[in-house]
Amino acid sequence: MKGPARPGRFPLALDRLAGAGKPASTELLRPQRPLQHAADHAAGKSAGVPQGLGLDSATVRARMVARLRADGIACEPVLQALAQVDRHVFVDSALANQAYEDTSLPIGLSQTISKPSVVARMLALLFEGESARTTGHLGRVLEIGTGCGYQAALLALLGRSVVSIERLKPLHDKALHNLDGRRHGGLRLVHGDGRLGHAPRAPYDSIVAAAGGDELPEAWLEQLALGGRLVAPVHDAARGGQVLLVVDRQPQGLVRRWHDAVHFVPLKSGTA
Ligand code: SAH
């Protein structure tokens, strides 16, 4: 996998968020910083007495990345982004000690933050699309299912601009808060029905969905740029479950490929 790991303006913007974007080396030079303390800091709470878990988050993230690498994730920009974004900041502080395990975790309203290996796999698949292979970044990105905003933070490091849509207002608000409550730089969080995509900023070089339906919404295909790639969980009747579907828009038309079996929350219609 070639290309710059931290393209464009986002790393600078993300440096101001939740401690994401800081080079791991900087963090490693600091004294051990308990996760709870970091989460409080990111949430804008006063420093207070550290009461956390005694783990340095850069170290545990590096360990998570090493596991993903050992499990076959070979896309360097994705691994570097995963090493930079503080996943524990995006989950409830009571779950922060599980943030770097390869597990999905509840984020409220019966929704979950996807497990790191699945996030890594989806982002690595996006990077294998024609545009990303040519440019070394994900370009203009559309994410459906912001949830707590973790994957949006990764996408902001990997793309040039990101629109992320969430249908549940409380989660949209939570993501705004987790991402410092600002629509900084090229990361735009939208409360809406992601099945409609987001026409004002179309077309997109990369489209990724974190919720799965019975079929791909037509709007996503319409909003996919030439050379662009879409990765989404879709129910596959033949396999009797959800499967990652990859769609490329090539000059001769749309090319679809089915990949791994997955288990995402359902893609629902409307907003709430
Ligand atoms: N990427 C997220 C994962 C969130 S889980 C993260 O990093 O945390 C998937 C999310 O998709 C849920 O929050 C769910 O509410 C949302 N979702 C489901 N259907 C949707 C739709 N039609 N439009 C936008 N969001 C949707």
Side-chain angles (χ1 to χ4, degrees):
M1 185 67 51
K2 296 190 299 191
R6 304 176 67 199
R9 305 170 296 277
F10 288 115
L12 291 177
L14 272 180
D15 278 338
R16 297 197 299 273
L17 310 173
K22 286 183 192 115
S25 54
T26 313
E27 199 149 335
L28 284 168
L29 290 175
R30 290 207 297 267
Q32 290 234 322
R33 188 182 58 150
L35 295 180
Q36 179 62 52
H37 179 59
D40 282 348
H41 175 71
K45 296 176 193 163
S46 66
V49 179
Q51 30 163 312
L53 308 158
L55 295 169
D56 180 275
S57 69
T59 307
V60 285
R61 279 201 304 281
R63 220 175 285 145
M64 174 184 85
V65 167
R67 277 198 309 269
L68 292 170
R69 201 188 289 277
D71 288 346
I73 301 292
C75 182
E76 283 305 321
V78 170
L79 291 168
Q80 288 185 30
L82 285 159
Q84 285 178 50
V85 176
D86 287 334
R87 190 168 183 259
H88 65 273
V89 166
F90 293 85
V91 299
D92 194 279
S93 57
L95 299 170
N97 62 341
Q98 295 175 58
Y100 299 100
E101 291 169 19
D102 194 27
T103 178
S104 54
L105 293 169
I107 53 173
L109 302 172
S110 306
Q111 306 303 318
T112 52
I113 179 174
S114 310
K115 60 180 182 174
S117 58
V118 172
V119 172
R121 173 76 175 137
M122 291 182 93
L123 297 178
L125 280 171
L126 280 181
F127 257 93
E128 288 165 17
E130 189 189 323
S131 282
R133 271 187 285 123
T134 312
T135 62
H137 58 74
L138 296 183
R140 299 160 67 94
V141 183
L142 173 67
E143 180 191 37
I144 297 95
T146 315
C148 62
Y150 173 66
Q151 185 169 269
L154 294 167
L155 289 167
L157 288 171
L158 297 166
R160 286 286 195 249
S161 65
V162 179
V163 175
S164 181
I165 311 176
E166 172 57 54
R167 64 179 288 275
L168 298 175
K169 184 73 165 62
L171 285 180
H172 167 73
D173 290 341
K174 184 183 271 196
L176 281 174
H177 174 80
N178 287 342
L179 295 164
D180 218 13
R182 277 177 285 150
R183 297 179 186 187
H184 65 92
L187 172 56
R188 181 174 166 77
L189 302 183
V190 175
H191 174 229
D193 182 352
R195 292 181 321 142
L196 306 174
H198 188 71
R201 296 217 175 174
Y204 301 97
D205 304 302
S206 305
I207 300 181
V208 60
D214 287 337
E215 54 200 29
L216 282 183
E218 203 52 42
W220 299 357
L221 299 174
E222 285 165 7
Q223 294 174 20
L224 186 63
L226 186 64
R229 172 169 277 203
L230 174 156
V231 179
V234 179
H235 186 80
D236 178 20
R239 304 228 323 230
Q242 270 181 359
V243 179
L244 275 187
L245 178 58
V246 172
V247 183
D248 291 299
R249 180 176 292 285
Q250 296 182 350
Q252 67 272 28
L254 295 169
V255 179
R256 297 162 200 252
R257 285 188 204 88
W258 296 95
H259 285 259
D260 330 27
V262 284
H263 189 68
F264 280 82
V265 298
L267 181 71
K268 296 193 173 170
S269 49
T271 56

